[in-house]
Amino acid sequence: MPPDTQRPRSGGAALELLVHGVGGATPQEMLDDPRTVRVTGDRTAAVYRRADDADAERHPERYGERPIPEAYCWSNLTSGNGSRALWLLLLPFMVVNLAHWMRPATTGLGRSQRLYGVLVRLVALTLTVTLTAAACEVALDLTAWQCAGSPRCVEGRSWLGFLAPEGHGWWSQPGRRLALAAVVPVALVTLLWYLSNRTWSAYEAQRPLTDDDTPGTGTDTDTNAETDTAGNAGAHAVPATGAGDDDSGPGEDAEGADGDRHRERGPGITGAGRRVTVRPALGRPGFWYGRRLVARLRAAHTAAGFLTVAGALTAAAVDHDRRLGGATAQSAGGLLQAAIAVCAGVVVWVVCSRGRSERRRDAGLDRILVTWLPAGSLVLLGLAACYAAWSRPGWVSAGALPGNLTFRWITLAQLALVVSLAVTAHALHRRSRHPRVAMRGLGGPAVAMLACGLGGVMTGGVAQRVADWLDKDATPGTGDGAIVGPPVLLSWQAAVIPVLLVLLLVPVVLLLARTRRVTRLLAPLVEAEYRPVELGEGASTPGGPRGRRAASDGLRTRQIAGARARAGLTDFAPRLVAVLSGTALLLGAAAVLGSWASGEVPGQAADSTDSSLVQSVADTAQALGSWLVGLGFILFVTWGRRAYRDASARRTIGILWDVGTFWPRAAHPFAPPCYAERAVPDLTWRIASWTRRTGGRLVLSGHSQGSVLAAAAVWQLPDATRHRVALLTYGSPLERLYGRWFPAYFGAAHLSALSRELHCWRNLWRDTDPIGGPVLVPAEGDRPEVDRGPLLDPLAYGRTADHPLPEPILGHSDYQADPVFAEERTELLDQLPPPLLPQQRHEGSRPGTEAAGPVAPGPAGAAPTTAVSATVTAGAGEGRAEPAEPHGDSQGHGTRRTPGTQDTPGRSQGSSGRSSA
């Protein structure tokens, strides 16, 4: 149970708003009360209070002993109805989108930063083409071209009978079979467009808080550029490192170009003699408003998908017409291919020409481009289908579909782009090195390579399984079956998977051995840390309260030491990613060279050698790789089907997206939507409106991923509001994960600047926590070090008077159970400046924005005269209070509570609720 809340010494009521972490939590769990009401929000994300606290602002005298807890629940942004299971199809797109945000932080080099963004977007475009080409391979090549044209393959498959040449039906000509089969990849592209458009309307369209929207008079000035007429840079400014710069190309407007030059210079004097300080990237007005770029990229990727299908249809028909020598047909085919190439060039130009617009909230949509580019590609697809379906008597499908070298060229393009990306990232990192940056700035290229590998496994798995199913007992590509099989490259890619897994066993075994060794080394330290000392029951030590304990216990010692050793494995993730991505790059290049040089599957290519060992290894790798790829695809589909039917499985998938979809869709429009584009505006609107209306103080408290949302929300706040906010984070991955992998946005300079912008900040961490860690912001002047830890975990070694039952090892969860939590929360409240008097606050707050009834006097009303101070652990919303039913499901939203209903007096317990891992 959480400890009793200490009474703040500063006086006045206090508000505590909680933000949960990955995996979600219900309001009842967070507030430790089965009776909760929805204060503001909807069924997707909302702010809750205990039912007894719904009208807390009307009765400030009740809350002198404890803060008023509020909970912001955002779990349904990543785990909801069964359609979320379809997001599994988007996994490679999500991974490549992460690569965009892993750009190294640097000073200057604006062109290199923009080049980095262009290269990532081009890699993302190749993934869309790869997925569409895989659908074409299955539907057009394997099914309509090879199987439907082979009597052995059609035998026993009545559903293919009307396509067989022996039937002499209208659909028996190869071109018409291809046109009909094109419905499958077209449907896939349409599904991706639908998912992206649907989530775009719900996520990217959320309007973030800007100065003009600041609740009240809107007189605060805090945009992407701070001005100081005295010529002094703002106290909260960060060095102009170029982090988060727009990677807009020549199509950016004059303001954007000037902004880029301004960022490269850093703080400087404007023409009016005013010093301009650039806001960090996450503090810019347009950072969480990416609807324009997503709309442009969605149009380009949709067009690319349609053009891929059109190219596959046209290639086969043009190949036939060239062999027959028909001048008219050849001219028509050549013109059609030229039109497809021109449209493809337009797609590449759209992808490369413009990046994100962060310096301002860009509401433009480029309607002409967004409408006509997909429409034009769809028209070309229709013309290609008509051209392929044109009657060609005597046309017989044999061998593989012409144009099956597509996968080889796509793979070569991906390898070249990843290498170019690595060179660019190295140049950026070399300009501004930092020892904590993961993989020396090469995290983005490594993750982009993993995205390409995932795409290859998914496409190869589909093709291999369909080929095995159509060819029955024969091995695809060996020539002894009813069909030729998929492209040779896919068999080579499957064959390198067992080699990759064997190589990965080496670092895994080394890490396991290291964990055992570290556990043994930590055991004496654990014994010394918990060694009995003459402390009174409940006495305090630097790590937290301890009582007397029993004699040492070997098993207990190993449990604690093992938990600490396993938690430390997180810091080795960069090395594993480096090994995995580097090996994938080399093996991928080897697969391309092997397929190109031999033109045969690995087993047949090895037959030309004299070594029986090589032949055996090649045959085993090919068979095992094909089986593993197929098994992976089957597990993938099975997991998706289970997630569609099982709410708990959907919740598990939601945990994956909690980490992967924090960032906006800047590289791939078909990636799962960015929940932070809804959550961050929710928090900033709540914090700004509450502080404006009440003049109160606020402690923003976030656990795990909630701490990242809290930090992002603080960066978006107006300057006057930000300086009245305290931040309490615990189990936070701000530095351990985000600072290392996303240095341009959460690097050491940015976290230090965030500490200076806030009135006070405290971070709690444990060395048994595999996710959270210190933020490494040192003391500066009269500002203390941000970190406090490591906290003692477990709280007691054995049984004590204070802990008569064995205490669990908490790891990443239940930080509120530690008395240090309540102590630090009270200390933060005491450090905040006193609440503003009514006459000190801005006049003219907008009506209808108060949270749970009237507050301190103001134009809007209400008699209470006591100012309110707030401890906000993730922002609470404003509006009417609604009861939330006990959360037996993932929704946890109830019916509305009748406005004006009086609640029973506030209870005396001081629990502020729990956070969820």
Side-chain angles (χ1 to χ4, degrees):
M1 293 294 292
D4 291 339
T5 301
Q6 301 179 25
R7 180 178 179 176
R9 296 186 296 272
S10 57
L15 177 69
E16 183 179 15
L17 179 62
L18 303 160
V19 186
H20 63 73
V22 296
T26 64
Q28 290 82 9
E29 294 170 341
M30 296 178 69
L31 298 174
D32 199 23
D33 194 310
R35 298 174 60 247
T36 59
V37 295
R38 187 166 68 196
V39 175
T40 185
D42 54 23
R43 297 180 65 86
T44 303
V47 170
Y48 295 86
R49 283 187 182 181
R50 294 166 173 164
D52 293 342
D53 298 333
D55 60 348
E57 282 82 358
R58 294 180 182 269
H59 306 284
E61 69 280 357
R62 297 179 183 173
Y63 300 97
E65 300 293 332
R66 64 182 178 92
I68 306 164
E70 287 188 344
Y72 176 66
C73 297
W74 53 274
S75 57
N76 283 334
L77 289 171
T78 55
S79 61
N81 56 38
S83 64
R84 302 292 174 91
L86 295 175
W87 289 1
L88 283 172
L89 295 172
L90 314 180
L91 184 60
F93 305 155
M94 181 189 74
V95 175
V96 76
N97 192 66
L98 288 176
H100 172 90
W101 301 104
M102 292 179 175
R103 184 185 68 221
T106 189
T107 302
L109 298 180
R111 291 183 179 180
S112 296
Q113 294 185 50
R114 287 190 288 275
L115 176 61
Y116 183 97
V118 168
L119 291 173
V120 175
R121 291 198 296 273
L122 287 175
V123 173
L125 183 64
T126 65
L127 290 177
T128 297
V129 175
T130 299
L131 184 61
T132 309
C136 291
E137 172 63 26
V138 170
L140 275 67
D141 186 14
L142 295 177
T143 305
W145 182 266
Q146 296 187 32
C147 186
S150 170
R152 290 175 55 192
C153 186
V154 173
E155 183 181 359
R157 293 186 174 90
S158 59
W159 55 276
L160 281 177
F162 74 104
L163 298 177
E166 291 76 12
H168 302 289
W170 193 87
W171 292 105
S172 62
Q173 291 191 17
R176 293 170 180 172
R177 298 201 305 263
L178 293 176
L180 178 62
V183 172
V184 174
V186 170
L188 174 62
V189 174
T190 304
L191 174 63
L192 293 175
W193 174 88
Y194 169 76
L195 291 174
S196 177
N197 185 68
R198 178 183 176 185
T199 55
W200 173 79
S201 302
Y203 290 77
E204 275 86 3
Q206 294 294 320
R207 186 165 57 92
L209 180 69
T210 61
D211 293 336
D212 294 337
D213 301 320
T214 301
T217 61
T219 56
D220 281 348
T221 56
D222 181 57
T223 60
N224 56 313
E226 301 288 341
T227 60
D228 185 348
T229 56
N232 298 319
H236 58 279
V238 296
T241 61
D245 291 352
D246 300 355
D247 43 46
S248 306
E252 188 58 273
D253 49 45
E255 177 187 353
D258 291 340
D260 281 339
R261 289 195 296 270
H262 214 45
R263 278 193 303 276
E264 292 176 13
R265 288 197 309 263
I269 303 298
T270 66
R274 307 169 74 189
R275 181 174 294 273
V276 176
T277 302
V278 177
R279 292 287 299 134
L282 273 72
R284 296 174 187 163
F287 189 89
W288 300 109
Y289 197 66
R291 64 195 305 259
R292 182 175 189 177
L293 177 62
V294 173
R296 287 173 58 90
L297 291 180
R298 183 176 65 244
H301 283 246
T302 303
F306 289 151
L307 293 175
T308 302
V309 182
L313 288 173
T314 307
V318 167
D319 180 76
H320 174 267
D321 293 339
R322 284 175 179 170
R323 284 188 285 104
L324 291 183
T328 304
Q330 285 188 56
S331 299
L335 289 174
L336 188 55
Q337 286 186 320
I340 292 174
V342 170
C343 194
V346 173
V347 167
V348 174
W349 175 80
V350 170
V351 170
C352 297
S353 63
R354 188 185 184 96
R356 286 171 51 82
S357 177
E358 298 173 354
R359 295 179 296 281
R360 56 190 172 87
R361 193 179 66 197
D362 192 351
L365 286 181
D366 304 316
R367 295 188 182 277
I368 295 178
L369 184 148
V370 168
T371 302
W372 288 105
L373 184 57
S377 64
L378 194 57
V379 169
L380 289 178
L381 175 59
L383 293 175
C386 293
Y387 173 70
W390 195 262
S391 179
R392 293 176 175 84
W395 188 9
V396 177
S397 60
L401 183 70
N404 65 347
L405 296 180
T406 302
F407 288 100
R408 183 179 298 171
W409 291 111
I410 292 175
T411 303
L412 284 174
Q414 290 176 341
L415 294 175
L417 288 171
V418 169
V419 172
S420 301
L421 190 64
V423 173
T424 305
H426 175 69
L428 292 173
H429 176 69
R430 185 177 56 184
R431 185 72 173 268
S432 181
R433 300 176 184 271
H434 194 281
R436 290 290 295 172
V437 175
M439 297 179 58
R440 299 184 179 181
L442 297 180
V447 169
M449 186 65 236
L450 294 182
C452 295
L454 283 172
V457 169
M458 291 177 61
T459 56
V462 173
Q464 292 284 349
R465 287 306 94 202
V466 171
D468 285 340
W469 174 60
L470 293 175
D471 213 9
K472 298 179 180 178
D473 297 331
T475 302
T478 58
D480 56 354
I483 61 176
V484 175
V488 172
L489 176 61
L490 298 185
S491 296
W492 278 86
Q493 288 177 337
V496 302
I497 291 179
V499 180
L500 179 63
L501 295 179
V502 170
L503 293 177
L504 281 179
L505 285 177
V506 177
V508 170
V509 171
L510 291 177
L511 285 179
L512 291 176
R514 179 192 178 278
T515 303
R516 293 176 60 88
R517 181 173 60 86
V518 172
T519 300
R520 291 194 301 269
L521 294 175
L522 286 177
L525 300 179
V526 171
E527 291 282 351
E529 187 173 355
Y530 285 97
R531 183 175 293 119
V533 293
E534 292 300 322
L535 295 174
E537 296 298 325
S540 179
T541 66
R546 302 181 192 172
R548 303 174 191 262
R549 66 165 177 82
S552 62
D553 182 342
L555 177 61
R556 181 67 162 171
T557 299
R558 287 192 299 272
Q559 289 176 342
I560 299 172
R564 296 181 182 181
R566 289 188 296 271
L569 292 177
T570 303
D571 299 321
F572 288 86
R575 301 182 187 181
L576 282 179
V577 172
V579 171
L580 180 59
S581 60
T583 305
L585 178 66
L586 295 177
L587 292 179
V592 173
L593 293 176
S595 63
W596 206 325
S598 66
E600 299 175 321
V601 297
Q604 290 183 327
D607 291 340
S608 59
T609 65
D610 297 332
S611 173
S612 58
L613 177 61
V614 172
Q615 296 175 5
S616 176
V617 170
D619 289 334
T620 302
Q622 179 181 339
L624 185 59
S626 176
W627 181 82
L628 287 174
V629 169
L631 177 63
F633 176 73
I634 292 173
L635 292 176
F636 190 83
V637 173
T638 303
W639 192 16
R641 182 176 179 181
R642 179 171 174 262
Y644 183 84
R645 297 183 176 183
D646 185 0
S648 63
R650 287 199 301 272
R651 189 181 183 93
T652 301
I653 293 176
I655 294 175
L656 299 178
W657 303 145
D658 285 354
V659 177
T661 60
F662 168 79
W663 296 100
R665 293 185 277 197
H668 207 300
F670 297 155
C674 166
Y675 63 86
E677 288 187 306
R678 164 68 191 272
V680 172
D682 281 357
L683 294 176
T684 54
W685 274 95
R686 170 55 178 170
I687 296 169
S689 61
W690 193 92
T691 54
R692 171 74 61 165
R693 297 282 292 179
T694 66
R697 300 170 297 168
L698 200 152
V699 175
L700 186 60
S701 171
H703 172 241
S704 187
Q705 190 70 10
S707 67
V708 183
L709 289 174
V714 167
W715 263 313
Q716 287 282 315
L717 290 172
D719 186 53
T721 303
R722 191 183 307 114
H723 286 291
R724 298 191 58 81
V725 171
L727 182 62
L728 178 60
T729 56
Y730 38 101
S732 173
L734 274 170
E735 195 282 332
R736 193 178 191 183
L737 173 61
Y738 284 84
R740 300 191 67 189
W741 290 97
F742 308 99
Y745 304 92
F746 289 97
H750 298 81
L751 294 180
S752 297
L754 177 63
S755 176
R756 291 191 296 269
E757 293 178 18
L758 289 161
H759 194 278
C760 44
W761 178 15
R762 204 65 164 149
N763 178 68
L764 310 179
W765 64 283
R766 301 184 180 118
D767 49 14
T768 57
D769 190 338
I771 298 175
V775 296
L776 304 179
V777 176
E780 183 178 353
D782 59 348
R783 305 180 68 88
E785 182 182 2
V786 170
D787 293 313
R788 177 168 180 179
L791 303 184
L792 200 64
D793 186 33
L795 291 174
Y797 182 90
R799 300 174 186 267
T800 67
D802 290 340
H803 305 279
L805 298 181
E807 286 293 311
I809 300 175
L810 298 175
H812 185 58
S813 63
D814 211 0
Y815 272 80
Q816 284 96 333
D818 197 310
V820 172
F821 181 89
E823 176 187 333
E824 291 295 339
R825 179 181 55 203
T826 302
E827 186 66 26
L828 289 175
L829 279 174
D830 292 337
Q831 292 180 30
L832 285 172
L836 296 176
L837 298 176
Q839 60 268 26
Q840 294 175 296
R841 302 196 299 267
H842 290 285
E843 300 289 334
S845 297
R846 294 181 182 178
T849 59
E850 182 47 39
V855 292
T865 58
T866 303
V868 181
S869 51
T871 303
V872 179
T873 304
E878 298 167 344
R880 290 173 292 179
E882 307 171 11
E885 296 175 355
H887 279 45
D889 57 11
S890 64
Q891 299 292 333
H893 303 293
T895 58
R896 287 189 177 272
R897 172 177 173 267
T898 304
T901 302
Q902 296 297 321
D903 292 310
T904 58
R907 293 168 298 172
S908 60
Q909 75 266 24
S911 168
S912 64
R914 305 186 181 111
S915 64
S916 173

